[in-house]
Amino acid sequence: MSKTKRKPWRKNLYENEGYPDNYTDKSFLDEMKKNINMHQVTVREAILGAGLVTQEFCLVVLFVVAFLYLHNGWLPLELILAQTGLVSLFCYAICIYNQSGRLRHVRTVLVFFIFGYVLSPVLKTLTESISTDTIYATTVFMMTVHLIFFDYGVKVLIVSSSLSLNSANFGAICLASRLPSSFHVFILLSITVECFVMLPLVLAKVEGSFVTLFILVFLTLYSLWTVSLTMTILFVLVVLFINVLCPIWFIRWYRYKENIYGPWDEAVVSLPVPNNSNNSVS
């Protein structure tokens, strides 16, 4: 008995009787395409992209330096509070620029200061029973989580602005119990809002530039130099790693990136554009 000749295979499930469901012919890979609309990253874009990480890292370092100044009493509290208030006022003015409802924003600031001052004694005693080594280790871990999940402008699943902000706030609350008084805690809370809420919003409006990056790195470098020479050298090495070595690696390895597209991708329904000329009434 001669074998029944099968119909030629077509990319249609209902017309391929006698073929396995996963059968494909030689034309299957003919529709494969590679690197559609691929954007070639320049050196400037790579450095500025890495600079976003450096900016947030500088804010974390500045926050830690401010805590050390408060903890060791290296500056008068009034001076630290005045500096913090001026920077916060400048950042807040930029954030609400060209926005309506300025009175509502002023009321929000007043509510924050009132509740922050009232809750400072509670936050100071919240983690007093925990050992100092555990507090510092937890703070380092929380700040690392903050840097990992921060929104750097890249749409990936790992980004979580709420987790990033809450981890930074939790780290600040942990450090609050090691300060001498509740007024110190209030100033630390103000610095927390300044470093992790206001300044990121201001830097996002600037949209990244070499001038902004240089100024922030210089300020962080100077403030850290007043605390520890060893930490300053380590900070310089980290900045060089992020802003020099990582962009070089990225550009070098980016040429090997290869995205493939083909009939195995999920189908996207495209609706026809309606022709208004046919619906016109004469």
Side-chain angles (χ1 to χ4, degrees), residues 103-170:
L103 183 61
R104 175 175 55 86
H105 291 292
V106 173
R107 185 170 59 250
T108 303
V109 173
L110 292 177
V111 170
F112 163 74
F113 276 105
I114 293 173
F115 275 91
Y117 188 79
V118 171
L119 294 177
S120 294
V122 178
L123 297 178
K124 183 184 182 306
T125 59
L126 194 61
T127 57
E128 276 188 345
S129 59
I130 303 176
S131 65
T132 302
D133 293 338
T134 304
I135 288 293
Y136 290 159
T138 304
T139 303
V140 171
F141 176 74
M142 288 293 104
M143 292 303 171
T144 304
V145 172
H146 166 74
L147 292 174
I148 292 175
F149 292 92
F150 185 78
D151 186 6
Y152 298 105
V154 182
K155 296 181 180 180
V156 291
L157 295 177
I158 196 175
V159 172
S160 177
S161 300
S162 58
L163 177 59
S164 177
L165 180 59
N166 291 332
S167 60
N169 291 333
F170 183 75

Side-chain angles (χ1 to χ4, degrees), residues 214-232:
F214 176 78
I215 293 175
L216 192 57
V217 171
F218 177 77
L219 292 176
T220 307
L221 189 64
Y222 175 76
S223 62
L224 195 59
W225 176 74
T226 61
V227 175
S228 172
L229 180 60
T230 304
M231 292 294 102
T232 304

Side-chain angles (χ1 to χ4, degrees), residues 38 246-258:
M38 186 175 177
C246 288
I248 292 175
W249 284 348
F250 181 81
I251 294 175
R252 179 177 298 178
W253 294 339
Y254 194 75
R255 69 183 68 175
Y256 301 108
K257 183 178 180 180
E258 196 171 80

